[in-house]
Amino acid sequence: MTSLVDGAKRLMSRGSDLGDRIEALGRASEAARGRLDDRVVDDADATAERVATRLGLTAEHTVVALAGATGSGKSSTFNALAGVELASVGVRRPTTSWATACVWGREGATELLEWLDIAPRHQVMRDSLLDLGKEDRALQGVVLLDLPDHDSTEVSHHLEVDRLIELTDLMVWVLDPQKYADAVVHDRYLAPLASHRDVMLIVLNHVDEVPADRRQSMLDDVRRLVDADGLVGVPVLATSARTGEGIDALRDEIARRVRAKKVTRSRLEADVRDAAARLQEATGTSGHPELSKERIAALEDAFAGAAGVPTVVEAVESATRIRGRRATGWPVTAWISRLRPDPLKRLHLDLGKDSSSFTGRGRTSVPSATSVERARVDAEVRAVADEVSAPLARPWAESVRRASVSRLPDLGDRLDSALSATDLGVERVPVWAGFVRVLQWVLLLAATVGLVWSAVLLADPWFGVTRPSTPDVGGFPVPVVLLLGGVLLGLLLALLCRFLVSSTARSRARSADRRLRSAISQVADEMVVRPVRAELAAYDTVRESLARALK
Ligand SMILES: Nc1nc2c(ncn2[C@@H]2O[C@H](COP(=O)(O)OP(=O)(O)OP(=O)(O)O)[C@@H](O)[C@H]2O)c(=O)[nH]1
Ligand SMILES: [Mg+2]
C-alpha cells in the first residue's frame, strides 16, 4: 500500500490529477481498514493498486476488448478488424475459450500483455503479418482482445471475461438480433458499468440477417435498452462481420477514440470514482461535532469520583490539620493527639515527592470505586462516544464506541497510579508552624521552670536560713509569672494557631484537589479522549480523501 501511495505521489508530482485521485483513494482505504467492512476496503485497495499499475504501463497502447454472448460474432468481428482470420470461428458453441490479442505496434506492449496475462501463443503482432498493410495505421497502438463468451455454461469463460473487462480500456459489446435483450448482459454488465459509458461502444452484429425494413426499429429497441441501462450517449453501431457492413465505421470509431488518447485515463478515472463511491456509501458523508469541553469535564469528574479524589482531598485537609495542630498546639495536649492515626498514612498515600517514588508502584488503599461510581464512569464514557458519533454511519459510530472503551480495563490501575504519583503538597509543616513549635517549647520550658521554682518556694527548703527574696515583675513573683504566663501563653498561642492551621489545611486541600484533577484529566485524555479523537481523525481522513478522489 505504501508503495502504491508513493507511486501515486510520483504521478501527482508530474501534475497528474488521476495520480492525486489514486493517492486519495489509497489513503482513504488505509484509514478505513479495520473500521469498515473488509470487502469494501479490499475493493478500494485493489482498484487503487490496479489503476496505479496500469498508469505505470505503456500509455501508447489502448486495450480494446470485444465482449458479448456466445455466437454474437466477437471472433468474426475480431477477424474482420484484423483483416485476417486469426481467431477461430466455429459452429460449435461456445467456440472461444481463451482470449486472443492482436497488437498493432509491438513496441512497449510486452509488459501490458504480461499484465493482461495473455499467453504468448494467444498473441498476434499485427505488424508481423507482412502481407497486410492497408489499415495498419488506423489502429496503431490498439491491443484488440477477442474474449470468450459471458453466457455459456463454462464458468471459466465468464471468469476470464470478468477479469479482462476490469483491465480493458475500451469495451465493445457485441450484441446479436436474437439475444440483444437478454437480461444477462444488461443486468450483469451494461447497467453496473454505466459509470464507464465514456469507454464503451455497442455493436449490433448479424444485421445482414435482419430484414432491411426491421433494422431501424431493432436498432431503436437496442438504443432504448441501452439507455435504460444508463448508457445514454454510448454509440450503437450496426455491423455484419460476415458481409463487412459497418466494420469500417466500427474501425473508425475505435481509431478515433484511441487517437484521442483519453480512453485509458477515462477508464481508470471511472474505476477510481466507482471504488471511491462504494467506499463513500459505506462510510457516509456527514460531519461530526468535536468533543465539547463540558463532556470532557463531566468525564473527568466521573473518573475523579471513581479514583476517590474527594476522599484523598478530605484526608489531605484533616492530615494537614492534625499535623499542624501537633506542631503548633500546646506540647502537652499535642502529644496526646499523636495517638490518633494519620488519615493519609491510612490511605497509604505517603506524603510528598520522596515518598511518591515508593508509593507510585504499589496500590494505594483509597477505597475502590463503588458500583454507583463505576456506573457513572460507564455512562460518561458512553456519553462521550454518543456526543461525537451521533451523525456517523453505523460502522464508524461502532468504532468510536469500541475505541472509547478499549482502554477501560486498565482504568483502575491507571487512576490509582496517577493518584499515588501525585505530590499532594503536604510533606512539610509550614515554616511559621516550625517557629511556633520552638516558641511552644520555650513557653513550656518557662512554665516548667516557674513550676519547679514555685514548688521549691512552697517547700521552703532553707531550714531557717534567710530565704533570698524572690524577684518580681510588676508586683507578681517571677516563678508565678513564668508558670502562669508559660501555660496561658502556650494555650493562647495554640488556640490562635488552630485558625491558621485550619486555613492552611483548606488551602492545601484545594491545591491537592487541583493537582489530583490535573493528573486525572491526563488519564481521561489518554484512556478515552485520545482513542476517540483518533477514530474521528481516521473518519475525517477517509471523508476528505474520498472527496478528493471524487472531485
Ligand atoms: N450471418 C452472420 N453470421 C455471423 C456474423 N458474425 C458471425 N457470424 C457467425 O456466427 C457464428 C458465431 O460467430 P463467432 O464469431 O464464432 O461468435 P463468437 O461471439 O466468437 O462466439 P463464442 O466464441 O462462442 O463466444 C459463426 O458461425 C459466424 O460465422 C454476421 O455478422 N452475420
Ligand atoms: Mg469466439
Short mmCIF file of all heavy atoms in Angstrom, two decimals, residues 189-229:
data_model
loop_
_atom_site.label_atom_id
_atom_site.label_comp_id
_atom_site.label_asym_id
_atom_site.label_seq_id
_atom_site.Cartn_x
_atom_site.Cartn_y
_atom_site.Cartn_z
N TYR A 189 -23.62 -6.74 -16.78
CA TYR A 189 -22.51 -5.93 -17.30
C TYR A 189 -22.87 -4.48 -17.61
O TYR A 189 -22.27 -3.57 -17.07
CB TYR A 189 -21.91 -6.61 -18.55
CG TYR A 189 -21.28 -7.94 -18.22
CD1 TYR A 189 -21.97 -9.13 -18.41
CD2 TYR A 189 -20.00 -8.00 -17.69
CE1 TYR A 189 -21.40 -10.34 -18.07
CE2 TYR A 189 -19.41 -9.21 -17.35
CZ TYR A 189 -20.12 -10.39 -17.56
OH TYR A 189 -19.55 -11.58 -17.21
N LEU A 190 -23.83 -4.30 -18.52
CA LEU A 190 -24.05 -2.94 -19.03
C LEU A 190 -24.51 -1.97 -17.94
O LEU A 190 -23.90 -0.92 -17.76
CB LEU A 190 -25.05 -2.97 -20.19
CG LEU A 190 -24.55 -3.78 -21.40
CD1 LEU A 190 -25.55 -3.68 -22.57
CD2 LEU A 190 -23.18 -3.32 -21.86
N ALA A 191 -25.55 -2.35 -17.19
CA ALA A 191 -26.05 -1.42 -16.16
C ALA A 191 -25.01 -1.14 -15.07
O ALA A 191 -24.75 0.01 -14.73
CB ALA A 191 -27.36 -1.93 -15.58
N PRO A 192 -24.35 -2.19 -14.53
CA PRO A 192 -23.35 -1.89 -13.49
C PRO A 192 -22.17 -1.06 -14.01
O PRO A 192 -21.49 -0.40 -13.23
CB PRO A 192 -22.86 -3.28 -13.04
CG PRO A 192 -23.93 -4.22 -13.44
CD PRO A 192 -24.55 -3.65 -14.67
N LEU A 193 -21.94 -1.10 -15.34
CA LEU A 193 -20.81 -0.34 -15.88
C LEU A 193 -21.24 1.03 -16.42
O LEU A 193 -20.50 1.67 -17.17
CB LEU A 193 -20.13 -1.15 -16.99
CG LEU A 193 -19.23 -2.30 -16.50
CD1 LEU A 193 -18.90 -3.24 -17.64
CD2 LEU A 193 -17.96 -1.78 -15.85
N ALA A 194 -22.41 1.48 -15.98
CA ALA A 194 -22.92 2.75 -16.51
C ALA A 194 -21.93 3.89 -16.29
O ALA A 194 -21.81 4.80 -17.13
CB ALA A 194 -24.26 3.09 -15.85
N SER A 195 -21.20 3.82 -15.19
CA SER A 195 -20.22 4.88 -14.93
C SER A 195 -19.08 4.87 -15.94
O SER A 195 -18.29 5.80 -16.00
CB SER A 195 -19.66 4.71 -13.52
OG SER A 195 -19.19 3.38 -13.36
N HIS A 196 -18.99 3.80 -16.72
CA HIS A 196 -17.91 3.68 -17.71
C HIS A 196 -18.41 3.96 -19.13
O HIS A 196 -17.82 3.53 -20.10
CB HIS A 196 -17.31 2.27 -17.64
CG HIS A 196 -16.51 2.02 -16.39
ND1 HIS A 196 -17.09 2.02 -15.14
CD2 HIS A 196 -15.19 1.80 -16.19
CE1 HIS A 196 -16.14 1.79 -14.23
NE2 HIS A 196 -14.99 1.66 -14.84
N ARG A 197 -19.51 4.70 -19.22
CA ARG A 197 -20.11 4.86 -20.57
C ARG A 197 -19.18 5.57 -21.55
O ARG A 197 -19.32 5.42 -22.76
CB ARG A 197 -21.46 5.54 -20.50
CG ARG A 197 -21.47 6.91 -19.86
CD ARG A 197 -22.86 7.52 -19.90
NE ARG A 197 -22.92 8.64 -18.98
CZ ARG A 197 -23.27 8.52 -17.71
NH1 ARG A 197 -23.62 7.34 -17.22
NH2 ARG A 197 -23.27 9.56 -16.93
N ASP A 198 -18.24 6.35 -21.03
CA ASP A 198 -17.32 7.04 -21.95
C ASP A 198 -16.34 6.10 -22.62
O ASP A 198 -15.64 6.50 -23.54
CB ASP A 198 -16.50 8.10 -21.16
CG ASP A 198 -17.39 9.25 -20.73
OD1 ASP A 198 -18.51 9.34 -21.27
OD2 ASP A 198 -16.95 10.02 -19.86
N VAL A 199 -16.23 4.89 -22.10
CA VAL A 199 -15.27 3.96 -22.68
C VAL A 199 -15.98 2.70 -23.17
O VAL A 199 -15.51 1.60 -23.02
CB VAL A 199 -14.15 3.61 -21.66
CG1 VAL A 199 -13.30 4.82 -21.38
CG2 VAL A 199 -14.72 3.07 -20.35
N MET A 200 -17.15 2.93 -23.79
CA MET A 200 -17.93 1.80 -24.27
C MET A 200 -18.51 2.04 -25.65
O MET A 200 -18.85 3.18 -25.98
CB MET A 200 -19.09 1.58 -23.31
CG MET A 200 -18.90 0.39 -22.44
SD MET A 200 -20.47 -0.01 -21.72
CE MET A 200 -20.00 0.04 -20.04
N LEU A 201 -18.62 0.97 -26.41
CA LEU A 201 -19.33 1.01 -27.70
C LEU A 201 -20.26 -0.19 -27.73
O LEU A 201 -19.94 -1.24 -27.18
CB LEU A 201 -18.34 0.87 -28.87
CG LEU A 201 -17.30 1.97 -29.09
CD1 LEU A 201 -16.40 1.57 -30.27
CD2 LEU A 201 -17.98 3.30 -29.39
N ILE A 202 -21.42 -0.01 -28.37
CA ILE A 202 -22.35 -1.14 -28.52
C ILE A 202 -22.43 -1.46 -30.01
O ILE A 202 -22.55 -0.55 -30.85
CB ILE A 202 -23.76 -0.79 -28.01
CG1 ILE A 202 -23.72 -0.24 -26.58
CG2 ILE A 202 -24.72 -1.97 -28.15
CD1 ILE A 202 -23.47 -1.26 -25.50
N VAL A 203 -22.36 -2.74 -30.31
CA VAL A 203 -22.42 -3.17 -31.71
C VAL A 203 -23.57 -4.16 -31.86
O VAL A 203 -23.66 -5.10 -31.06
CB VAL A 203 -21.08 -3.84 -32.12
CG1 VAL A 203 -21.24 -4.58 -33.43
CG2 VAL A 203 -19.98 -2.81 -32.21
N LEU A 204 -24.46 -3.91 -32.81
CA LEU A 204 -25.47 -4.92 -33.12
C LEU A 204 -24.99 -5.64 -34.38
O LEU A 204 -25.05 -5.11 -35.49
CB LEU A 204 -26.84 -4.27 -33.36
CG LEU A 204 -27.95 -5.27 -33.69
CD1 LEU A 204 -28.25 -6.20 -32.51
CD2 LEU A 204 -29.24 -4.55 -34.12
N ASN A 205 -24.45 -6.86 -34.17
CA ASN A 205 -23.87 -7.63 -35.28
C ASN A 205 -24.96 -8.49 -35.93
O ASN A 205 -26.11 -8.46 -35.49
CB ASN A 205 -22.72 -8.48 -34.70
CG ASN A 205 -21.85 -9.07 -35.79
OD1 ASN A 205 -21.63 -8.43 -36.83
ND2 ASN A 205 -21.36 -10.28 -35.57
N HIS A 206 -24.58 -9.20 -36.94
CA HIS A 206 -25.53 -10.07 -37.66
C HIS A 206 -26.64 -9.25 -38.32
O HIS A 206 -27.73 -9.77 -38.53
CB HIS A 206 -26.22 -11.08 -36.70
CG HIS A 206 -25.35 -12.22 -36.26
ND1 HIS A 206 -25.40 -13.48 -36.82
CD2 HIS A 206 -24.40 -12.28 -35.30
CE1 HIS A 206 -24.54 -14.28 -36.22
NE2 HIS A 206 -23.92 -13.55 -35.28
N VAL A 207 -26.42 -7.99 -38.63
CA VAL A 207 -27.52 -7.21 -39.20
C VAL A 207 -27.93 -7.71 -40.58
O VAL A 207 -29.04 -7.47 -41.03
CB VAL A 207 -27.24 -5.69 -39.29
CG1 VAL A 207 -27.44 -5.01 -37.96
CG2 VAL A 207 -25.91 -5.40 -39.92
N ASP A 208 -27.00 -8.44 -41.23
CA ASP A 208 -27.36 -8.98 -42.56
C ASP A 208 -28.52 -9.96 -42.45
O ASP A 208 -29.23 -10.22 -43.40
CB ASP A 208 -26.13 -9.66 -43.20
CG ASP A 208 -25.57 -10.75 -42.32
OD1 ASP A 208 -25.06 -10.41 -41.19
OD2 ASP A 208 -25.65 -11.93 -42.67
N GLU A 209 -28.74 -10.48 -41.25
CA GLU A 209 -29.82 -11.46 -41.07
C GLU A 209 -31.15 -10.78 -40.75
O GLU A 209 -32.18 -11.44 -40.63
CB GLU A 209 -29.46 -12.43 -39.93
CG GLU A 209 -28.35 -13.39 -40.31
CD GLU A 209 -27.88 -14.24 -39.13
OE1 GLU A 209 -28.17 -13.86 -37.97
OE2 GLU A 209 -27.24 -15.26 -39.38
N VAL A 210 -31.09 -9.46 -40.55
CA VAL A 210 -32.33 -8.73 -40.20
C VAL A 210 -32.90 -8.09 -41.47
O VAL A 210 -32.17 -7.39 -42.18
CB VAL A 210 -32.04 -7.62 -39.15
CG1 VAL A 210 -33.32 -6.90 -38.75
CG2 VAL A 210 -31.31 -8.19 -37.95
N PRO A 211 -34.18 -8.35 -41.79
CA PRO A 211 -34.76 -7.72 -42.98
C PRO A 211 -34.59 -6.21 -42.91
O PRO A 211 -34.72 -5.61 -41.83
CB PRO A 211 -36.23 -8.10 -42.89
CG PRO A 211 -36.29 -9.27 -41.98
CD PRO A 211 -35.12 -9.18 -41.07
N ALA A 212 -34.29 -5.60 -44.05
CA ALA A 212 -33.97 -4.16 -44.10
C ALA A 212 -35.03 -3.31 -43.43
O ALA A 212 -34.70 -2.35 -42.71
CB ALA A 212 -33.79 -3.73 -45.56
N ASP A 213 -36.32 -3.68 -43.59
CA ASP A 213 -37.38 -2.83 -43.04
C ASP A 213 -37.51 -2.94 -41.52
O ASP A 213 -38.20 -2.17 -40.89
CB ASP A 213 -38.73 -3.17 -43.70
CG ASP A 213 -39.09 -4.64 -43.53
OD1 ASP A 213 -38.14 -5.46 -43.37
OD2 ASP A 213 -40.29 -4.97 -43.51
N ARG A 214 -36.82 -3.94 -40.94
CA ARG A 214 -36.92 -4.07 -39.48
C ARG A 214 -35.68 -3.56 -38.75
O ARG A 214 -35.64 -3.48 -37.54
CB ARG A 214 -37.12 -5.55 -39.12
CG ARG A 214 -38.59 -6.00 -39.32
CD ARG A 214 -38.85 -7.30 -38.59
NE ARG A 214 -38.39 -7.23 -37.19
CZ ARG A 214 -37.79 -8.25 -36.59
NH1 ARG A 214 -37.55 -9.38 -37.20
NH2 ARG A 214 -37.42 -8.11 -35.32
N ARG A 215 -34.65 -3.25 -39.54
CA ARG A 215 -33.38 -2.88 -38.91
C ARG A 215 -33.49 -1.68 -37.97
O ARG A 215 -33.03 -1.71 -36.85
CB ARG A 215 -32.34 -2.56 -39.98
CG ARG A 215 -31.72 -3.80 -40.53
CD ARG A 215 -30.53 -3.47 -41.37
NE ARG A 215 -30.19 -4.63 -42.15
CZ ARG A 215 -29.23 -4.67 -43.04
NH1 ARG A 215 -28.54 -3.55 -43.30
NH2 ARG A 215 -28.95 -5.77 -43.70
N GLN A 216 -34.13 -0.62 -38.53
CA GLN A 216 -34.17 0.61 -37.74
C GLN A 216 -34.91 0.42 -36.42
O GLN A 216 -34.46 0.86 -35.37
CB GLN A 216 -34.81 1.76 -38.55
CG GLN A 216 -34.58 3.14 -37.93
CD GLN A 216 -33.10 3.41 -37.58
OE1 GLN A 216 -32.22 3.19 -38.42
NE2 GLN A 216 -32.84 3.84 -36.36
N SER A 217 -36.06 -0.32 -36.52
CA SER A 217 -36.82 -0.49 -35.27
C SER A 217 -36.04 -1.34 -34.27
O SER A 217 -36.09 -1.12 -33.06
CB SER A 217 -38.19 -1.09 -35.55
OG SER A 217 -38.03 -2.40 -36.03
N MET A 218 -35.24 -2.31 -34.78
CA MET A 218 -34.43 -3.13 -33.88
C MET A 218 -33.32 -2.28 -33.24
O MET A 218 -33.06 -2.36 -32.04
CB MET A 218 -33.82 -4.30 -34.64
CG MET A 218 -33.12 -5.27 -33.69
SD MET A 218 -32.51 -6.72 -34.54
CE MET A 218 -34.00 -7.65 -34.76
N LEU A 219 -32.73 -1.42 -34.08
CA LEU A 219 -31.67 -0.54 -33.55
C LEU A 219 -32.25 0.41 -32.49
O LEU A 219 -31.63 0.68 -31.46
CB LEU A 219 -31.01 0.27 -34.67
CG LEU A 219 -29.96 -0.51 -35.47
CD1 LEU A 219 -29.56 0.25 -36.73
CD2 LEU A 219 -28.74 -0.82 -34.63
N ASP A 220 -33.50 0.89 -32.77
CA ASP A 220 -34.16 1.77 -31.80
C ASP A 220 -34.40 1.03 -30.48
O ASP A 220 -34.25 1.59 -29.40
CB ASP A 220 -35.51 2.28 -32.34
CG ASP A 220 -35.30 3.27 -33.49
OD1 ASP A 220 -34.14 3.73 -33.65
OD2 ASP A 220 -36.28 3.55 -34.21
N ASP A 221 -34.75 -0.24 -30.62
CA ASP A 221 -35.01 -1.06 -29.44
C ASP A 221 -33.73 -1.25 -28.62
O ASP A 221 -33.73 -1.15 -27.39
CB ASP A 221 -35.57 -2.41 -29.89
CG ASP A 221 -36.35 -3.08 -28.77
OD1 ASP A 221 -36.90 -2.33 -27.91
OD2 ASP A 221 -36.38 -4.32 -28.72
N VAL A 222 -32.65 -1.51 -29.35
CA VAL A 222 -31.35 -1.65 -28.66
C VAL A 222 -31.03 -0.36 -27.93
O VAL A 222 -30.63 -0.35 -26.76
CB VAL A 222 -30.23 -2.00 -29.67
CG1 VAL A 222 -28.87 -1.98 -28.98
CG2 VAL A 222 -30.48 -3.36 -30.30
N ARG A 223 -31.21 0.76 -28.64
CA ARG A 223 -30.93 2.08 -28.07
C ARG A 223 -31.71 2.29 -26.76
O ARG A 223 -31.18 2.74 -25.76
CB ARG A 223 -31.30 3.14 -29.12
CG ARG A 223 -31.22 4.59 -28.73
CD ARG A 223 -29.83 5.13 -28.86
NE ARG A 223 -29.12 5.08 -27.61
CZ ARG A 223 -27.79 5.17 -27.49
NH1 ARG A 223 -27.02 5.26 -28.56
NH2 ARG A 223 -27.22 5.13 -26.32
N ARG A 224 -32.99 1.92 -26.84
CA ARG A 224 -33.86 2.10 -25.67
C ARG A 224 -33.35 1.29 -24.48
O ARG A 224 -33.24 1.80 -23.37
CB ARG A 224 -35.28 1.65 -26.06
CG ARG A 224 -36.36 1.95 -25.04
CD ARG A 224 -37.71 1.42 -25.52
NE ARG A 224 -37.68 -0.01 -25.87
CZ ARG A 224 -37.70 -1.00 -24.97
NH1 ARG A 224 -37.75 -0.73 -23.69
NH2 ARG A 224 -37.68 -2.27 -25.36
N LEU A 225 -32.98 0.03 -24.75
CA LEU A 225 -32.49 -0.82 -23.65
C LEU A 225 -31.18 -0.31 -23.07
O LEU A 225 -30.96 -0.30 -21.87
CB LEU A 225 -32.29 -2.26 -24.17
CG LEU A 225 -33.56 -3.02 -24.50
CD1 LEU A 225 -33.23 -4.35 -25.19
CD2 LEU A 225 -34.36 -3.28 -23.22
N VAL A 226 -30.32 0.14 -23.99
CA VAL A 226 -29.01 0.63 -23.57
C VAL A 226 -29.15 1.92 -22.74
O VAL A 226 -28.48 2.10 -21.72
CB VAL A 226 -28.13 0.85 -24.82
CG1 VAL A 226 -26.92 1.70 -24.50
CG2 VAL A 226 -27.69 -0.50 -25.38
N ASP A 227 -30.08 2.77 -23.19
CA ASP A 227 -30.34 4.00 -22.42
C ASP A 227 -30.87 3.65 -21.03
O ASP A 227 -30.48 4.27 -20.03
CB ASP A 227 -31.35 4.90 -23.14
CG ASP A 227 -30.71 5.64 -24.31
OD1 ASP A 227 -29.47 5.50 -24.46
OD2 ASP A 227 -31.44 6.33 -25.06
N ALA A 228 -31.73 2.63 -21.00
CA ALA A 228 -32.30 2.22 -19.71
C ALA A 228 -31.22 1.68 -18.78
O ALA A 228 -31.35 1.74 -17.56
CB ALA A 228 -33.38 1.17 -19.93
N ASP A 229 -30.14 1.18 -19.37
CA ASP A 229 -29.01 0.70 -18.54
C ASP A 229 -28.19 1.87 -17.99
O ASP A 229 -27.26 1.67 -17.21
CB ASP A 229 -28.07 -0.18 -19.38
CG ASP A 229 -28.70 -1.51 -19.73
OD1 ASP A 229 -29.53 -1.99 -18.94
OD2 ASP A 229 -28.35 -2.07 -20.79
#
